[in-house]
Amino acid sequence: MTSAPADTARDTARAALAELVGRADVDFHDGQYEAIEALVEGRRRALVVQRTGWGKSAVYFVATLLRRRQGAGPTVLVSPLLALMRDQIAAAERAGVRAVAINSTNAHEWAEVEGRLARDEVDVLLVSPERLNNPAFREQQLPALVARLGMLVVDEAHCISDWGHDFRPDYRRLRDLIGQLPTDVPVLATTATANSRVVADVAEQLGALPTGEAGGAVASAAPGAGAGAGAEADVGTGAGAVPVLTIRGPLARTSLRLGVLRLRDSASRLAWLLSHLDDLPGSGIIYTLTVAAAVDTARLLREHGHEVRAYTGQTDAEERAESEGMLKRNEVKALVATSALGMGFDKPDLGFVVHLGAPSSPVAYYQQVGRAGRASDNADVLLLPGVEDRDIWHYFATASMPDRERAERVIAALGDAPISTPALEALVDIRRTPLELLLKVLDVDGAVRRVQGGWIATGAPWAYDAERYERIAAERVAEQQHMLDYERTDGCRMEFLQRALDDETAAPCGRCDTCAGVWFPTEVASTASAQAAESLDRVGVPIEP
């Protein structure tokens, strides 16, 4: 390909950006055009780490438009959440980008999507990482897509890394997918929540060579390189790998006003919400750590006149979509949500984020509070930590780690004939949710494989990597301590979060409760305390097995 002159290429890209946002006077943020140029002109592999609201989606939509004009095939966008897919498709349509999704909720549309792909009527295909291991998709559709792929985009790429706060085993398959691509097919990974360790891990997987190829030395950058505004660096991905361009910018969110209010128990936190939810600006999100807490909190608030809805991974897909729309239209005061409403949810004027209980790391917390104040000057962010937080962190941290004895039990129960997950659940006496997670980990490790009809053992040798899991567990304990440090710091809270993400531009924000003083009410109405206590008294009845 003959590259266009730099000014012409930038003008062409800026015209595409103007189409995307509907404004003729628009221009790129620092680093946006550099990423687009690397993908379109350089056919590079790039990792973009930029704050929420910076415009990462503009990079891949503009690059897709330009690649399609070059005659390239469609972009495949790996996206982790249905809510995020819906927002991305809506944004694409506004820009004239033809985007479609294949996911668990639209099976009735798959045949139509396949037809549009065959007729080259799709610019962006959105898939979940789990879809990459669906046997029918993996064997019947993926090979044809790979053969004509114009670009691969991995959104929320911190999920690739088992060092990340939101690791999803299926994201590990992306290394295998990238290894199937010719080196001149551009690959983009984006995230707002990655420290230097996660950046290095993601870059290593982005640098996977096509199967059978070997490379030479790769330029490298020290950990944290590129942390300044628009800074770039080629991250070393090891000998025999493709260099990965990283573009990192400052992560400060000047619109957010952060605060922490420590109350003695769950009843006090609920009472504070009952007393002050209406005082919070606009509409927002109330995060909880568990599904039960989200459902119970939403019910209590509704019973006392507040327009809220629960939103969890167990909520029906149609109800989730309806709730997202109501929040965007300000028809509810808040969604009471688990992390299922997290990555990429796009409401530019979200007025507040409140946490009932703290996420397990500052990185995870930064990702969730990043939903607020994306296109407004002010948004309030308040953390109400709980004494039970540590126990909840421990439960989820251990639940995501494979247990040696359980893993060996599962492998031993499988053979050449496919066994369905429900049948396997009965054979190995492991509950469905932890069993499904364990199967994903073993699948990524190559010990088992999902096929039509269920699961089989591959026969490949498998050994429990105790050292790796102990290392990850120790790091997660350290991150939990960092979250406790955030709650108790007497320094700037935004600066603390930036440093947790290895942002070298970190500086006091001048707005949080430690910089500017407490900005939120701390008193709780006595009637609210009684209402909260009564609600908690009738929630959760222990039943002996």
Side-chain angles (χ1 to χ4, degrees), residues 55-76:
K56 294 180 286 293
S57 61
V59 170
Y60 50 73
F61 283 141
V62 170
T64 292
L65 286 171
L66 299 180
R67 288 283 291 144
R68 293 289 279 161
R69 291 171 189 172
Q70 292 175 343
T75 291
V76 169

Side-chain angles (χ1 to χ4, degrees), residues 15-50:
L17 179 67
E19 293 177 30
L20 180 70
V21 301
R23 283 179 46 201
D25 62 341
V26 72
D27 205 349
F28 294 107
H29 297 148
D30 286 346
Q32 279 184 317
Y33 177 68
E34 290 73 17
I36 293 167
E37 182 181 41
L39 297 166
V40 176
E41 302 298 323
R43 309 281 183 88
R44 297 287 307 274
R45 297 184 182 181
L47 170 60
V48 172
V49 183
Q50 296 280 0

Side-chain angles (χ1 to χ4, degrees), residues 204-465:
E204 179 182 355
Q205 296 180 62
L206 289 182
L209 275 171
T211 305
E213 289 190 23
V218 180
S220 63
E232 304 172 29
D234 278 347
V235 172
T237 51
V242 179
V244 175
L245 174 70
T246 61
I247 299 177
R248 299 187 68 176
L251 300 179
R253 294 290 307 282
T254 57
S255 63
L256 301 186
R257 184 167 61 162
L258 303 174
V260 175
L261 175 58
R262 302 178 67 86
L263 297 169
R264 67 178 181 273
D265 53 26
S266 297
S268 300
R269 299 202 304 274
L270 289 175
W272 187 94
L273 264 184
L274 286 169
S275 302
H276 300 293
L277 178 57
D278 286 338
D279 299 332
L280 295 168
S283 56
I285 300 172
I286 301 166
Y287 278 113
T288 66
L289 297 185
T290 66
V291 171
V295 172
D296 294 339
T297 301
R299 189 196 66 246
L300 172 65
L301 291 172
R302 282 196 306 272
E303 287 175 349
H304 293 90
H306 296 285
E307 290 293 329
V308 301
R309 296 182 69 150
Y311 186 111
T312 75
Q314 296 180 14
T315 306
D316 177 77
E318 289 185 6
E319 184 180 340
R320 275 188 280 173
E322 182 183 33
S323 295
E324 292 164 23
M326 293 179 73
L327 180 60
K328 290 177 181 180
R329 296 187 298 270
N330 297 316
E331 294 171 0
V332 292
K333 181 64 177 180
L335 295 186
V336 186
T338 63
S339 58
L341 184 69
M343 295 176 287
F345 175 75
D346 186 17
K347 176 176 167 57
D349 62 340
L350 196 77
F352 65 88
V353 170
V354 172
H355 277 79
L356 295 182
S360 59
S361 76
V363 178
Y365 186 61
Y366 177 89
Q367 190 271 323
Q368 290 182 351
V369 302
R371 301 302 100 218
R374 298 180 64 172
S376 60
D377 294 334
N378 299 286
D380 288 345
V381 172
L382 184 62
L383 171 62
L384 305 177
V387 294
E388 70 279 9
D389 292 352
R390 290 193 196 204
D391 291 336
I392 296 173
W393 297 341
H394 177 73
Y395 171 79
F396 285 117
T398 53
S400 65
M401 295 282 188
D403 174 88
R404 183 201 302 265
E405 186 275 329
R406 285 185 166 193
E408 291 173 346
R409 201 190 322 163
V410 168
I411 294 170
L414 293 172
D416 297 332
I419 300 177
S420 69
T421 305
L424 185 61
E425 182 181 6
L427 284 174
V428 299
D429 192 26
I430 301 173
R431 288 187 303 109
R432 180 73 56 88
T433 299
L435 175 60
E436 289 174 339
L437 183 57
L438 177 57
L439 285 167
K440 287 181 179 182
V441 172
L442 292 174
D443 190 356
V444 173
D445 286 347
V448 306
R449 184 169 176 82
R450 185 182 174 198
V451 297
Q452 293 285 0
W455 295 88
I456 61 171
T458 64
W462 181 84
Y464 182 77
D465 193 346

Side-chain angles (χ1 to χ4, degrees), residues 1-265:
M1 180 187 71
T2 302
S3 296
D7 56 341
T8 304
R10 185 182 180 99
D11 290 344
T12 302
R14 198 178 71 79
L17 179 67
E19 293 177 30
L20 180 70
V21 301
R23 283 179 46 201
D25 62 341
V26 72
D27 205 349
F28 294 107
H29 297 148
D30 286 346
Q32 279 184 317
Y33 177 68
E34 290 73 17
I36 293 167
E37 182 181 41
L39 297 166
V40 176
E41 302 298 323
R43 309 281 183 88
R44 297 287 307 274
R45 297 184 182 181
L47 170 60
V48 172
V49 183
Q50 296 280 0
R51 68 184 181 276
T52 301
W54 172 84
K56 294 180 286 293
S57 61
V59 170
Y60 50 73
F61 283 141
V62 170
T64 292
L65 286 171
L66 299 180
R67 288 283 291 144
R68 293 289 279 161
R69 291 171 189 172
Q70 292 175 343
T75 291
V76 169
L77 171 55
V78 180
S79 185
L81 293 176
L82 293 177
L84 180 52
M85 284 190 187
R86 285 189 282 267
D87 284 341
Q88 288 164 327
I89 289 174
E93 289 174 350
R94 291 193 296 270
V97 177
R98 298 168 298 180
V100 295
I102 290 180
N103 58 53
S104 58
T105 68
N106 70 344
H108 60 288
E109 300 175 3
W110 291 359
E112 179 189 350
V113 170
E114 290 175 24
R116 291 183 62 187
L117 284 166
R119 296 189 300 271
D120 199 27
E121 296 173 356
V122 172
D123 299 319
V124 176
L125 174 66
L126 292 92
V127 298
S128 69
E130 289 76 12
R131 183 61 37 191
L132 298 176
N133 198 42
N134 176 276
F137 182 82
R138 184 185 66 214
E139 295 160 15
Q140 298 169 21
Q141 296 169 280
L142 191 58
L145 271 175
V146 168
R148 54 189 292 263
L149 193 67
M151 183 168 67
L152 174 67
V153 177
V154 182
D155 206 7
E156 307 296 349
H158 58 272
C159 295
I160 289 178
S161 175
D162 55 14
W163 295 111
H165 70 275
D166 201 10
F167 169 56
R168 288 169 69 164
D170 284 290
Y171 260 76
R172 276 288 187 189
R173 296 183 218 287
L174 290 167
R175 182 184 187 121
D176 297 332
L177 175 57
I178 291 167
Q180 299 176 42
L181 301 178
T183 53
D184 65 346
V185 172
V187 179
L188 171 66
T190 68
T191 182
T193 50
N195 55 24
S196 294
R197 185 180 59 251
V198 172
V199 165
D201 191 13
V202 173
E204 179 182 355
Q205 296 180 62
L206 289 182
L209 275 171
T211 305
E213 289 190 23
V218 180
S220 63
E232 304 172 29
D234 278 347
V235 172
T237 51
V242 179
V244 175
L245 174 70
T246 61
I247 299 177
R248 299 187 68 176
L251 300 179
R253 294 290 307 282
T254 57
S255 63
L256 301 186
R257 184 167 61 162
L258 303 174
V260 175
L261 175 58
R262 302 178 67 86
L263 297 169
R264 67 178 181 273
D265 53 26

